[in-house]
């Protein structure tokens, strides 16, 4: 039993010491080749894994197989179902697996996530409470928790600001923009677009961590509750949506929150509604939205079949204008008298007109595809190419002309994709990128993400390049395309995010620990703690009973601070470490301080009891100076639980006494840490 206890305690310490939360993703991300999105899950784990498997993103063991694809869950993982913990835990695993594979899983917070952080449990099931019950123990004295019914307290500890699952939610955004598509649970108005999406994400994240008060954006008029775009859309609402998209530089918005019979669009494709009520609570169908190359939109059905989407609000055939010319016109497979041509698809295009110049005039051919083979061309000639997109009601401009000299490239080997990109020499406005040489490549085209599109930089023949004169302290995205001697291009590499700064990237320090109080009076005390590596200052917070929240008291560069003005007999304090660049740690465990009476007889909390031993069925320990009583904890086989209080330094054993005990000394000024445990029977 003793070895089993040691092993169990070691595992607990290891888990507490090694657990790390992932960083919150960027709010603005480049377009990806394939993006999948689903709506509200509401605690239905089976619905989640079924639609992810149908989309080819996870396998039967629930591991990521989506490669470089992007998956977005548009909020409301919680409430109404019993599978919430399974959903949150699986998402955290998939986030890590997708990142390793070059893809990304983006989980957004909806109004039901913020309701749980507010401890609003109106929609929680009995299973939703029992899954988190082990987070509560009798030593927790937080009134926000203890005032709740006993069955709700474990969930409250898990989801209150600064709690373990609130911290997980704090690493998720409320909104994200991928390419020219913005994703949000409820809906963004022009006012919130001007307020700033990154500002909304940061304020909600800081509140969930327990660092800040509740932001207005989680309220009923905020973007997580908004239903403007979920019902019948008037022309005024469509105008509001267009104003929002223009403010954000986006083409479309994807929302959830309001249940639909199936995924659908409104305002001529400018908003897509993806909450199909797929949870068991609503009994809706299972569907996912798929966006290819930031333009082609399809629906993934539960059986994996792709359904094409029509124009207009209900597929009535309304025609939408084409707004831009095709991009990325490339010639490949060159022969002495033929070649292949490819280009990127264009929104709302039903066909393309490809033209080549034969030396006298432009020769046209039409196709519904984004590629075409040209044969029987003049041997060895230089061919000029251009293409434009069209549909029933509009057409785009032509692309810029591309000139290609026909040579037999049968001996050319296709270039391989650049495997990875590393960066160095970061400054406020420049950086260098380098990569391993790609097989069969003779040159490389670096690209930067600018104004919602990839922009090619001058080609280089080496496997490195430097970028200069960039916007100071901006976030850049870079990728590279390998090219062979026949001008054939490989698939672009995965992109890399680069945050420019003239100083070394700063990390948040660890949370302070081992807080203690001394010089305790009736309304003042001195709070102390050991120094924290990478911390340049410390923020001390006190619990406000009237506000039901932690409030900042003062900031200091020392490792102690005298706190005054306490109005209660029992005070609560905690400390947050702050780095030189302003990044904050998690808050320390709070310290309970029993204030002295006006007589001032209390000077300090007692020290840790020592010398524990058992003789003839009686546990004794060395008497601690100024201790008024002792709190004894017993090991239940899975956790430490309260056993009894003792007024002197001895305790008589009985048949119900736990096998292992640990003792803490207490007085009006505070409490000691617990002693080393002892086996008593």
């Amino acid at each position: 039993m003793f070895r089993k206890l040691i092993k169990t305690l070691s595992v607990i310490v290891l888990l507490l010491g090694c657990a790390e939360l992932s960083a919150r993703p960027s709010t603005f991300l480049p377009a990806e080749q394939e993006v999948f999105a689903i709506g509200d899950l509401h605690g239905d784990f089976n619905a989640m894994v079924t639609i992810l498997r149908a989309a080819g993103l996870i396998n039967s063991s629930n591991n990521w197989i989506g490669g470089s694809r992007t998956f977005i869950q548009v909020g409301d993982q919680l409430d109404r179902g019993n599978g919430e913990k399974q959903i949150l835990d699986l998402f955290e695993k998939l986030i890590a697996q997708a990142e390793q594979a070059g893809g990304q899983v983006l989980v957004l917070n909806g109004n039901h996530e913020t309701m749980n952080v507010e401890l609003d449990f109106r929609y929680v099931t009995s299973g939703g409470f029992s899954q988190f019950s082990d987070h509560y123990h009798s030593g927790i004295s937080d009134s926000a928790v203890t005032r709740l019914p006993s069955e709700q307290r474990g969930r409250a500890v898990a989801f209150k600001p600064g709690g373990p699952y609130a911290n997980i939610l704090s690493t998720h955004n409320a909104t994200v923009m991928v390419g020219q598509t913005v994703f949000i649970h409820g809906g963004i108005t022009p006012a919130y677009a001007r307020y700033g999406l990154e500002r909304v994400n940061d304020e909600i994240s800081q509140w969930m961590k327990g660092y800040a008060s509740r932001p207005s954006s989680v309220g009923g008029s905020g973007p997580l509750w908004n239903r403007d775009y979920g019902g019948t859309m008037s022309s005024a609402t469509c105008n509001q949506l267009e104003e929002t998209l223009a403010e954000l530089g986006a083409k479309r918005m994807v929302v959830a929150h309001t249940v639909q019979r199936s995924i659908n669009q409104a305002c001529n494709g400018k908003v897509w509604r993806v909450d199909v009520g797929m949870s068991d609570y609503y009994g809706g169908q299972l569907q996912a939205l798929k966006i290819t190359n930031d333009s082609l939109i399809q629906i993934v059905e539960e059986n994996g079949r792709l359904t094409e989407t029509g124009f207009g609000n209900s597929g009535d055939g309304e025609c939408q204008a084409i707004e831009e010319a095709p991009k990325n016109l490339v010639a490949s497979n060159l022969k002495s008298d033929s070649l292949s041509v490819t280009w990127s698809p264009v929104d709302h295009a039903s066909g393309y007109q490809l033209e080549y110049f034969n030396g006298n005039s432009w020769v046209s051919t039409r196709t519904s595809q984004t590629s075409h083979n040209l044969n029987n061309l003049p041997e060895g000639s230089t061919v000029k190419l251009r293409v434009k997109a069209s549909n029933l009601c509009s057409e785009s401009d032509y692309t810029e002309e591309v000139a290609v000299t026909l040579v037999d490239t049968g001996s050319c080997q296709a270039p391989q994709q650049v495997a990875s990109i590393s960066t160095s020499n970061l400054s406020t406005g420049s950086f260098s990128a380098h990569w391993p040489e790609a097989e069969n490549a003779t040159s490389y085209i670096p690209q930067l993400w600018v104004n919602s599109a990839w922009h090619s930089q001058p080609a280089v023949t080496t496997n490195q390049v430097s970028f200069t004169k960039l916007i100071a302290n901006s976030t850049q995205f870079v990728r590279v395309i390998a090219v062979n001697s026949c001008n054939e291009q490989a698939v672009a590499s995965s992109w890399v995010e680069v945050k420019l700064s003239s100083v070394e990237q700063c990390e948040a320090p660890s949370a302070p620990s081992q807080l203690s109080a001394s010089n305790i009076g009736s309304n003042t005390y001195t709070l102390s703690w050991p120094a924290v590596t990478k911390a340049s200052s410390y923020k001390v917070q006190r619990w406000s009973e009237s506000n039901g929240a932690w409030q900042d008291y003062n900031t200091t560069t020392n490792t102690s601070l005298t706190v005054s003005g306490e109005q209660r007999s029992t005070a609560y304090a905690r400390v947050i470490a702050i780095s030189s660049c302003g990044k904050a740690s998690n808050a320390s465990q709070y310290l309970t301080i029993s204030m002295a009476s006006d007589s001032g007889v209390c000077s300090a909390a007692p020290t840790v009891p020592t010398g524990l031993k058992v003789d003839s069925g009686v546990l004794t320990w060395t008497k601690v100076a100024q201790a008024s009583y002792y709190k004894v904890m017993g090991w239940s086989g899975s956790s430490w639980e309260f056993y009894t209080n003792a007024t002197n330094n001895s305790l008589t054993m009985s048949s119900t006494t736990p096998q292992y005990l640990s003792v803490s000394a207490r007085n009006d000024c505070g409490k000691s840490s617990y002693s080393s445990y002892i086996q008593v029977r």
Side-chain angles (χ1 to χ4, degrees):
M1 175 65 186
F2 181 75
R3 290 182 178 177
K4 182 178 180 181
L5 173 63
I6 293 296
K7 182 177 180 180
T8 302
L9 292 175
S10 299
V11 170
I12 293 172
V13 170
L14 179 64
L15 291 174
L16 290 176
C18 297
E20 293 185 1
L21 294 174
S22 58
R24 182 171 62 82
S26 297
T27 301
F28 300 93
L29 295 167
E32 296 291 348
Q33 184 175 3
E34 291 183 320
V35 177
F36 296 81
I38 64 171
D40 303 31
L41 289 170
H42 284 306
D44 194 331
F45 180 75
N46 289 332
M48 169 189 171
V49 298
T50 299
I51 191 61
L52 288 181
R53 290 170 186 168
L57 299 175
I58 64 173
N59 60 17
S60 59
S61 300
N62 297 335
N63 290 313
W64 179 258
I65 57 171
S68 61
R69 295 167 174 164
T70 292
F71 168 75
I72 303 170
Q73 198 282 320
V74 196
D76 277 9
Q77 303 100 53
L78 300 181
D79 291 344
R80 306 190 192 279
N82 296 331
E84 303 160 293
K85 188 174 186 298
Q86 291 173 284
I87 289 173
L88 293 177
D89 293 348
L90 178 56
F91 271 142
E92 292 310 296
K93 181 181 82 168
L94 294 178
I95 287 171
Q97 290 181 342
E99 182 178 0
Q100 291 177 351
Q104 54 188 343
V105 170
L106 304 171
V107 184
L108 302 186
N109 288 316
N111 62 303
H112 281 266
E113 281 70 63
T114 61
M115 288 171 67
N116 275 265
V117 177
E118 294 178 276
L119 307 190
D120 182 346
F121 296 152
R122 285 176 290 169
Y123 301 99
V124 179
T125 64
S126 58
F129 286 123
S130 63
Q131 282 186 332
F132 298 93
S133 60
D134 58 352
H135 286 268
Y136 177 76
H137 59 80
S138 59
I140 293 175
S141 57
D142 186 346
S143 61
V145 175
T146 57
R147 69 189 178 195
L148 295 173
S150 58
E151 69 273 11
Q152 297 184 15
R153 294 174 184 173
R155 190 178 182 97
V157 173
F159 283 100
K160 69 176 184 174
Y165 276 85
N167 278 332
I168 289 175
L169 296 180
S170 76
T171 66
H172 301 166
N173 282 323
T175 180
V176 66
M177 185 167 166
V178 180
Q180 294 180 294
T181 306
V182 60
F183 298 82
I184 181 71
H185 180 66
I188 300 170
T189 60
Y192 270 103
R194 290 187 289 270
Y195 187 78
L197 303 191
E198 174 60 23
R199 186 176 176 186
V200 169
N201 282 337
D202 184 64
E203 288 179 350
I204 294 176
S205 177
Q206 294 300 313
W207 164 61
M208 288 180 165
K209 292 176 183 176
Y211 297 165
S213 59
R214 174 183 177 274
S216 60
S217 55
V218 304
S221 60
L224 303 187
W225 287 87
N226 185 290
R227 294 189 189 273
D228 288 354
Y229 311 132
T232 301
M233 302 286 286
S234 66
S235 59
T237 307
C238 286
N239 290 339
Q240 171 186 299
L241 173 62
E242 290 182 4
E243 181 182 350
T244 301
L245 295 176
E247 187 74 31
L248 297 173
K251 282 189 174 181
R252 66 187 69 86
M253 187 181 300
V254 175
V255 300
H257 191 42
T258 301
V259 177
Q260 315 286 321
R261 295 183 62 183
S262 63
I263 291 177
N264 63 83
Q265 60 172 311
C267 300
N268 294 333
K270 290 183 172 60
V271 63
W272 289 83
R273 290 87 74 93
V274 297
D275 180 8
V276 292
M278 69 171 66
S279 66
D280 183 64
Y281 180 87
Y282 288 106
Q285 60 183 318
L286 274 60
Q287 289 182 323
L289 188 72
K290 180 182 179 183
I291 305 176
T292 303
N293 293 326
D294 210 18
S295 58
L296 176 64
I297 299 179
Q298 299 165 300
I299 297 172
V300 181
E301 308 291 349
E302 183 177 352
N303 61 5
R305 180 175 60 87
L306 283 176
T307 298
E308 301 298 327
T309 59
F311 294 110
N313 192 22
S314 57
D316 57 7
E318 181 179 344
C319 186
Q320 302 176 65
I322 295 174
E323 299 178 354
E324 60 181 4
K327 297 178 180 178
N328 302 320
L329 181 63
V330 175
S332 60
N333 301 324
L334 275 66
K335 303 295 182 181
S336 60
D337 62 351
S338 65
L339 56 80
S340 299
V341 189
T342 60
W343 56 90
S344 299
V346 175
D347 282 352
H348 318 311
S350 59
Y352 301 89
Q353 183 170 314
L354 174 65
E355 296 187 347
Y356 70 92
F357 192 72
N358 64 5
N360 297 310
S361 61
W362 288 95
V363 179
S364 300
T365 182
R366 287 197 57 82
T367 177
S368 61
Q369 307 300 315
T370 56
S371 62
H372 192 73
N373 295 324
L374 294 176
N375 300 307
N376 301 317
L377 300 172
E379 288 192 15
S381 63
T382 296
V383 179
K384 294 180 181 179
L385 303 167
R386 66 185 186 184
V387 66
K388 66 179 179 181
S390 63
N391 61 18
L392 293 175
C393 59
S394 63
E395 64 180 21
S396 73
D397 294 331
Y398 282 104
T399 60
E400 293 186 7
E401 297 173 11
V402 172
V404 180
T405 300
L406 297 178
V407 293
D408 193 338
T409 60
S411 59
C412 273
Q413 298 294 316
Q416 299 299 304
Q417 182 184 30
V418 171
S420 61
I421 301 176
S422 301
T423 59
S424 61
N425 303 324
L426 272 67
S427 70
T428 55
S430 64
F431 71 95
S432 297
H434 40 94
W435 54 90
E437 292 183 355
E439 188 175 355
N440 303 323
T442 56
S443 63
Y444 302 90
I445 302 174
Q447 293 185 323
L448 290 177
W449 180 258
V450 181
N451 296 329
S452 302
W454 288 106
H455 287 257
S456 297
Q457 309 301 305
V460 296
T461 56
T462 61
N463 59 332
Q464 59 183 350
V465 66
S466 294
F467 299 96
T468 60
K469 298 181 180 181
L470 303 172
I471 298 174
N473 298 316
S474 61
T475 298
Q476 300 289 329
F477 299 89
V478 60
R479 70 181 189 181
V480 177
I481 298 173
V483 184
N484 66 9
S485 58
C486 302
N487 202 34
E488 295 175 313
Q489 297 183 1
V491 175
S493 69
S494 297
W495 54 264
V496 172
E497 180 179 0
V498 186
K499 294 183 177 181
L500 300 182
S501 174
S502 59
V503 298
E504 181 180 353
Q505 293 297 310
C506 183
E507 297 180 356
S510 301
S513 60
Q514 301 177 26
L515 274 64
S516 62
S518 60
N519 303 322
I520 302 174
S522 59
N523 64 359
T524 184
Y525 58 90
T526 299
L527 189 67
S528 303
W529 57 91
V532 176
T533 303
K534 298 181 181 179
S536 61
S537 61
Y538 303 90
K539 180 189 294 183
V540 174
Q541 294 183 323
R542 299 190 298 181
W543 179 256
S544 170
E545 190 69 33
S546 60
N547 295 328
W550 288 99
Q551 293 190 331
D552 295 345
Y553 174 72
N554 208 342
T555 300
T556 178
T557 57
N558 301 317
T559 56
S560 64
L561 183 70
T562 298
V563 180
S564 60
E566 286 290 350
Q567 302 297 319
R568 297 172 299 160
S569 60
T570 302
Y572 304 90
R574 69 182 190 181
V575 180
I576 296 172
I578 303 173
S579 68
S580 58
C581 62
K583 290 192 175 180
S585 72
N586 291 329
S588 68
Q589 294 290 326
Y590 65 81
L591 180 67
T592 304
I593 306 109
S594 298
M595 305 305 294
S597 63
D598 290 335
S599 62
V601 296
C602 183
S603 61
T607 57
V608 179
T610 59
L612 277 69
K613 62 181 180 178
V614 178
D615 187 11
S616 301
V618 178
L619 171 66
T620 61
W621 56 88
T622 303
K623 186 175 182 180
V624 177
Q626 299 190 50
S628 56
Y629 73 100
Y630 302 88
K631 185 174 182 179
V632 182
M633 299 289 282
W635 180 256
S636 67
S638 60
S639 62
W640 288 99
E641 297 179 356
F642 173 74
Y643 175 55
T644 189
N645 289 328
T647 56
N648 53 44
N649 59 321
S650 66
L651 182 68
T652 301
M653 305 293 99
S654 70
S655 60
T656 61
T657 300
Q659 190 170 6
Y660 300 91
L661 296 177
S662 179
V663 182
S664 169
R666 309 292 174 103
N667 64 16
D668 290 338
C669 297
K671 59 186 179 181
S672 75
S673 300
Y674 281 94
S675 68
S676 300
Y677 63 84
I678 183 172
Q679 184 174 355
V680 298
R681 64 182 181 85

